Amino acid sequence: MTNKKQDKILDFSLLTRLSFYVKPYKWVFIGVFLAVVLLAALSSAVPYLTQYVVDNNIAKQDAEGFLFFVVIMLGLLLAQTFFQLFFIYYAGWLGQNVVKDIRVKLFNHMLKFKMKYYDNSSVGVLITRAVTDMERIADIFGEGLFMIFRDVLTMIVVSGVMIFMNWKLSLIVFALLPLVLVATRIFQKYMKRAFEEVRTEISNLNSFVQERVTGMKILQLFTREDTEYKKFKTINNRHKKGWLKTVWYNSIFFPIAELSSSITIGLVVWYGGLNAVLDNTVSQGDLIAFIMFIPMLFRPLRQIADKFNTLQMGMVAANRVFKVLDTTSQITDTGTQEVSVFNGNIAFKKVHFSYVEDEEVLKGISFNVKAGETIAIVGATGAGKSTIINLLNRFYEINKGTITIDNIDIKQLTLGSLRAKIAVVLQDVFLFADTILNNITLNNPDITEAQVQQAAKDIGIHEFIMSLPEGYHYNVKERGAMLSSGQRQLISFLRAYVTNPSILVLDEATSSVDSYSEQLIQNATDKITKGRTSIVIAHRLATIKKADKIIVMDAGEIVEEGTHQELLKKQGGYYKNLYEVQFMQTAEV
């Protein structure tokens, strides 16, 4: 069934779906359609008039009539040029506007995907869908569908005029058409398969290059250049082979089409010439008109095959884009309650969660955080600490249990309302290729530069920012490459602070910073956590010691709870052992 579907010349269900995006531009569509009809009608006018002029004006030496028809043909050529210009421009205009609308819808759809979708998806493939595949969809209108319709209509009109003029010569022409039609059908079928392969290899190539460029530092640190070079050569070679298949099919088909056209012209000249000499049943005008008509009949047929390549590439791309659009991987935002501010009472009640089915990461954990309280969560890697933060923000849906804030189930809150009042500072800071100011405000018009500067002064990092070449307008480049890891962390901390969150989350926010930056963050932490509910996924000793409560996790379960001093008093306790092994070493340093 899959192969049959792939071998279809036209997927009408897909074209019907695309037509939905054409509706806002229906008058342009109608205009282009009418231009196609007029171009098809005008295409046969010049050869037909040529036949008339040769037989009735040139043969009879009628100079006045000859000049009259020359003027008419000139007018037809000018009209044909005008409608051709209109057709090409507005067909392309329509395609670009349709693609603009689909691309906006796709990006908006992708913005709402669950984190799990991105965990399992290649960034390079998604970029291909949003950029390269979109251009192929535009070609459906600009170079595919309308062009094919124009050529088919031209062939129908030309065939009708030929039969009207001389049915015997027409039979000679039509006798060779089945050969080209069969060749065209076979060509289209194999080209469709070839383009499926090409699109797959382009996605693989984009994904590979994007990941390697992003991770170039790791490749060079571990001297993996030669290995990655060989992998790239393999992927690039598969991409080349995919394209060479299309080149091979083209190199077979187009010479056959040209040869058929040349043979047909030769047969028409031979048969028509004999009849013109022997019994005068074919006129000189007929011969000249048919010599003009044959390329107009065979060339569109060849062009149709070529445009079908474009159309099929566009349809393959559209299928891939619509597959992403049809993906239902969004968090269900069915909440109806809007909350302007939280008091900050958080409760996890018997929460179970797994990233992979039947592999639980959290195994029925329960804990409470009182408003204004600072709690620290500690445990070995993989214990489930960061998962708690992800679930609090509803990046993932829990399997069982409930999570409440101020006694409201977070599923009853709108996602925007929930996330707007929770600020998270991650260990791995992501900065955009933009100014420091825009990375802090994320282009939120409600946050002014004056507010950002005041917030920076409050937490003691204003001087650091002003020491940069352009201060708050310094462009940090892609992923914040112009800043150190500690500086990036400070920017991330300020980004969270300016939103004035009800709940603050620090996910190992000081684990990769220098001692100076850590001191700045510790001072800022003391300021902004005061009177505000805070959850700290702990790494540094100072943060843990100041927490109102420490939750100790192991393998998805809470094994201990208490203050720093209370937990140290538990002989053989998990936290005491963790402290002695890890944190006391930090204290000694």
Side-chain angles (χ1 to χ4, degrees), residues 103-152:
R103 184 183 278 126
V104 168
K105 184 175 181 180
L106 176 69
F107 188 72
N108 185 52
H109 191 66
M110 289 166 57
L111 285 173
K112 298 173 183 177
F113 278 152
K114 298 177 184 176
M115 288 300 105
K116 186 175 182 179
Y117 179 86
Y118 293 104
D119 293 341
N120 299 321
S121 300
S122 164
V123 174
V125 169
L126 291 175
I127 290 173
T128 300
R129 300 293 174 267
V131 181
T132 310
D133 284 341
M134 286 296 178
E135 292 307 316
R136 300 288 79 78
I137 295 175
D139 291 341
I140 291 178
F141 300 93
E143 299 179 24
L145 200 59
F146 283 122
M147 291 285 193
I148 292 171
F149 181 68
R150 183 196 65 179
D151 290 341
V152 169

Side-chain angles (χ1 to χ4, degrees), residues 179-235:
L179 173 64
V180 182
L181 287 170
V182 171
T184 301
R185 177 67 186 97
I186 296 171
F187 173 71
Q188 290 160 356
K189 183 173 69 173
Y190 282 96
M191 285 299 285
K192 177 73 179 294
R193 293 178 182 175
F195 282 131
E196 285 276 4
E197 184 177 336
V198 166
R199 298 311 305 160
T200 299
E201 294 304 331
I202 287 176
S203 295
N204 292 339
L205 190 62
N206 285 347
S207 179
F208 184 89
V209 172
Q210 188 272 334
E211 288 182 349
R212 270 57 187 183
V213 170
T214 303
M216 188 59 69
K217 188 174 182 179
I218 297 298
L219 298 183
Q220 293 182 355
L221 280 171
F222 289 89
T223 63
R224 305 304 297 168
E225 295 94 335
D226 290 342
T227 301
E228 296 304 317
Y229 170 69
K230 290 174 182 177
K231 286 183 181 178
F232 179 79
K233 283 182 67 177
T234 301
I235 294 173

Side-chain angles (χ1 to χ4, degrees), residues 5 83 127 158 220 316 367 439 481 501 535 572 584:
K5 186 175 181 180
F83 287 118
I127 290 173
V158 167
Q220 293 182 355
V316 169
F367 66 88
N439 267 292
I535 299 176
M584 285 190 70

